[in-house]
Amino acid sequence: IVIPFLQITGISIVRNGTCLNWNGNLIIIDAPCSGIKMIWMGLYFSFVLISLYNLNMRNSFLLLFFSIITIILGNVMRTAALFYIESGILVTFNWMHQGIGVIIFLFILISILIFAKRINKKHICVTS
């Protein structure tokens, strides 16, 4: 998904295995940067929220679907941002590689939390 996203921005890039080929240079996406940990932690967080809010089956699946889509889109944004840094297009501080990952992951978690709160509030039953 990241290749079309970068191509839309005008970057001529091709996927080469787990690497991105740009101007004859290979930008390597290694295992720690693949986003697998982000998916695991995001889904774990979603299951914690399902348990905390005691969501019903429908809302649980809705939250998990939202979480997966949000995590994938966040990972695409993170990979694209890291491409600009690692390719040398943008010159930044050394800590920016890790910082971008943390910032985007926090945005993902906050989005999931807000969505969980909204679907939890919509289905509160009031008894007299």
Side-chain angles (χ1 to χ4, degrees), residues 17 23 27 43 49 63 82 88 103:
N23 285 345
I27 314 286
L43 288 176
L49 292 175
L63 179 62
L82 292 178
I103 290 167

Side-chain angles (χ1 to χ4, degrees), residues 38 70 74-75 77-78 81-82 85 95-111:
M38 189 181 290
T70 304
N75 200 33
M77 297 300 290
R78 182 187 61 86
L82 292 178
I85 291 172
W95 56 266
M96 286 298 288
H97 185 103
Q98 290 82 10
I100 286 172
V102 169
I103 290 167
I104 290 177
F105 188 59
L106 285 174
F107 179 75
I108 289 169
L109 294 181
I110 290 168
S111 300

Side-chain angles (χ1 to χ4, degrees), residues 43 45-50 53 55 57-70 111-117 119:
L43 288 176
F45 182 67
S46 299
F47 282 111
V48 168
L49 292 175
I50 287 168
Y53 290 135
L55 297 180
M57 186 73 73
R58 178 186 172 277
N59 287 345
S60 297
F61 283 122
L62 193 60
L63 179 62
L64 290 173
F65 179 76
F66 176 83
S67 299
I68 290 168
I69 297 299
T70 304
S111 300
I112 292 170
L113 177 63
I114 290 169
F115 187 79
K117 283 184 176 185
I119 62 173

Side-chain angles (χ1 to χ4, degrees), residues 5-71:
F5 180 78
L6 287 170
Q7 289 173 340
I8 288 172
T9 64
I11 302 291
S12 178
I13 191 167
V14 180
R15 187 173 66 93
N16 187 358
T18 60
C19 302
L20 303 176
N21 190 335
W22 176 69
N23 285 345
N25 298 321
L26 287 179
I27 314 286
I28 299 170
I29 313 274
D30 57 354
C33 284
S34 68
I36 298 298
K37 290 179 184 177
M38 189 181 290
I39 291 170
W40 278 109
M41 287 305 299
L43 288 176
Y44 180 81
F45 182 67
S46 299
F47 282 111
V48 168
L49 292 175
I50 287 168
S51 178
L52 278 174
Y53 290 135
N54 197 23
L55 297 180
N56 62 26
M57 186 73 73
R58 178 186 172 277
N59 287 345
S60 297
F61 283 122
L62 193 60
L63 179 62
L64 290 173
F65 179 76
F66 176 83
S67 299
I68 290 168
I69 297 299
T70 304
I71 294 165

